[in-house]
Amino acid sequence: MPDDDLHKPLGLDRKAPPRWGLSSLAWPAILAAAALAGFTVWHGVPTAAPDESQATAAIGQEAPAAAPPSVPPAKPALQARPSELVQSAAEVEMESGVKVIRGNGGTAPDAMIIEVPQAHSLALAAAPDPRLVEMCRYGALPRIGADGARPADVYARPAEVNAALKADAPRIAIVVGGLGLSRRMTDTAIADLPAAVTFAFAPYGRELIANVAAARANGHEVILQAPMEPIDYPQTDPGPHVLLSGATLAQNTDNLHWLMSRFPGYIGIANFLGAKFTADLASFAPVLQEIGERGLIYLDDGTSPQSLALTLAAQDNVPAAKADLVLDATPDGIDAALIRLEAIARDKGLAIAMASALPDSLAKISRFARVAQSRGLALIPLSAAIGKDTPSLVDRGQ
């Protein structure tokens, strides 16, 4: 196995054996089977003949006419050339629908790792749900339905833990933020990341509604990133309709409603920046309270130790959590951060991480997700990490 980053689990310098391997001796049998199957189908011979001798005789011969004399006999089948029947190993792989990876750009029949595409068996509820809509001057806002239905529950992706994992397997929730701003990065995230990864969309994308719909169609639950005032505002400006500590309650409420109306189907809200705002009790408390009253969860990205999010959430019975780390904001790099994330999950049973929609981040998170189950880890959506019966996760030592 070549010594490259793809085959190093989580950046550790040790070789991982391929999950699936086909020796060079196996390929002749595969090719022979492919040729026989193609030959059989070409002549219309059933694959399971009751009499082996009859099936053999039928190959290359004209089938006897079973119709009445008035029906003209069938025309002889065209004679297929051997080159049309025999496929190369590479062609067999391409037609199989699986993704095959080899080190150093190798081709079949070299040793390989096979990735079988996983269907998104869990379809998310359609959005918007008419029960969960309240109109304002900017458009539709989420709300708790008259029947008690909450957006955080209705729009969530159910946790899907493989039966091969232990019941108490360490759980990891990863949230990728900044989506919707770059079409290329958003498309890459949707295509490459498993559906258990939660997507956080900024409120400013030009094709925001379409991008969110595509993400949810692929099984990703989504949250809204709300811009909040940082310490050095306005030198660092999160964007229009930012929530400010110096604004009035009416101003912040109006801006919050604009942000909430940008797209439907999200389960909650996360801060974008906001070190100053989330530390201001008078300004932050009513915003967090409204988030909870609308049936949403709240995620603190964990970048500000002064944030009051978990304290206020516990007081107001708002389901909330704080990320354990931001994967692409650590000095040691993403690989080291993923190793640390796994260690946190094994220690506490649950770990939550944030990341940005950057090429290196997406590639390494995708690689981590591919091997997570083989390492005994359960990748879960954010909603599964923040239960409605657990207002906050302070008991995790945060």
Side-chain angles (χ1 to χ4, degrees):
M1 184 67 69
D3 185 16
D4 58 15
D5 287 343
L6 179 62
H7 297 82
K8 294 179 183 178
L10 305 181
L12 297 179
D13 189 18
R14 61 186 179 89
K15 298 180 180 178
R19 285 174 284 174
W20 292 81
L22 293 179
S23 68
S24 60
L25 297 178
W27 281 110
I30 294 177
L31 298 180
L36 179 58
F39 213 42
T40 302
V41 173
W42 184 272
H43 291 282
V45 180
T47 57
D51 187 299
E52 184 177 350
S53 62
Q54 292 178 359
T56 304
I59 298 179
Q61 299 178 6
E62 178 179 338
S70 59
V71 180
K75 293 183 179 181
L78 296 177
Q79 184 66 36
R81 295 188 300 273
S83 60
E84 294 175 333
L85 298 175
V86 179
Q87 292 179 300
S88 69
E91 289 173 329
V92 172
E93 288 180 1
M94 182 177 297
E95 293 181 2
S96 69
V98 303
K99 183 178 181 181
V100 179
I101 302 172
R102 290 182 175 83
N104 297 330
T107 58
D110 294 345
M112 59 187 172
I113 296 175
I114 297 178
E115 288 185 13
V116 181
Q118 296 183 358
H120 303 296
S121 57
L122 298 180
L124 273 62
D129 185 319
R131 299 173 300 163
L132 311 180
V133 171
E134 174 187 327
M135 298 305 298
C136 74
R137 68 191 185 104
Y138 298 118
L141 302 178
R143 70 168 184 180
I144 298 176
D147 58 354
R150 302 161 66 249
D153 301 324
V154 174
Y155 298 138
R157 174 184 174 82
E160 195 176 24
V161 179
N162 193 292
L165 292 174
K166 295 181 180 179
D168 59 348
R171 295 170 297 153
I172 292 178
I174 298 178
V175 180
V176 173
L179 292 166
L181 299 176
S182 165
R183 173 71 177 273
R184 182 169 63 91
M185 287 297 95
T186 301
D187 289 346
T188 298
I190 294 173
D192 292 353
L193 297 180
V197 175
T198 298
F199 286 177
F201 281 85
Y204 307 122
R206 298 172 64 178
E207 300 177 323
L208 196 53
I209 293 178
N211 288 335
V212 170
R216 299 188 76 252
N218 257 34
H220 297 275
E221 67 181 19
V222 300
I223 61 175
L224 166 69
Q225 283 184 291
M228 301 181 186
E229 182 181 6
I231 296 294
D232 58 349
Y233 182 83
Q235 285 74 23
T236 300
D237 189 349
H241 300 274
V242 59
L243 304 178
L244 301 170
S245 58
T248 65
L249 175 58
Q251 290 171 330
N252 277 333
T253 299
D254 188 67
N255 282 326
L256 179 63
H257 287 178
W258 185 89
L259 297 168
M260 284 182 165
S261 69
R262 299 300 294 151
F263 60 87
Y266 54 92
I267 65 167
I269 291 179
N271 63 294
F272 176 67
L273 300 179
K276 184 175 181 179
F277 184 79
T278 58
D280 188 299
L281 176 63
S283 300
F284 185 36
V287 167
L288 189 59
Q289 184 176 14
E290 178 160 359
I291 290 172
E293 289 175 349
R294 292 189 175 276
L296 303 170
I297 64 176
Y298 181 80
L299 176 66
D300 187 294
D301 68 6
T303 57
S304 174
Q306 284 77 40
S307 174
L308 301 173
L310 293 186
T311 300
L312 295 175
Q315 293 175 0
D316 295 332
N317 202 37
V318 179
K322 182 172 72 173
D324 293 285
L325 73 165
V326 179
L327 295 176
D328 37 22
T330 57
D332 296 331
I334 299 176
D335 285 327
L338 287 168
I339 293 174
R340 184 182 170 200
L341 180 68
E342 180 177 338
I344 294 172
R346 294 190 185 281
D347 179 47
K348 298 182 178 180
L350 171 66
I352 301 174
M354 288 284 297
S356 300
L358 301 172
D360 191 45
S361 301
L362 297 180
K364 291 183 176 180
I365 291 171
S366 177
R367 185 184 69 180
F368 175 84
R370 291 202 304 266
V371 302
Q373 181 175 310
S374 66
R375 297 176 67 84
L377 304 171
L379 194 62
I380 62 172
L382 178 65
S383 59
I386 310 178
K388 66 179 181 179
D389 297 325
T390 305
S392 66
L393 298 178
V394 179
D395 57 336
R396 292 172 52 219
Q398 299 181 344

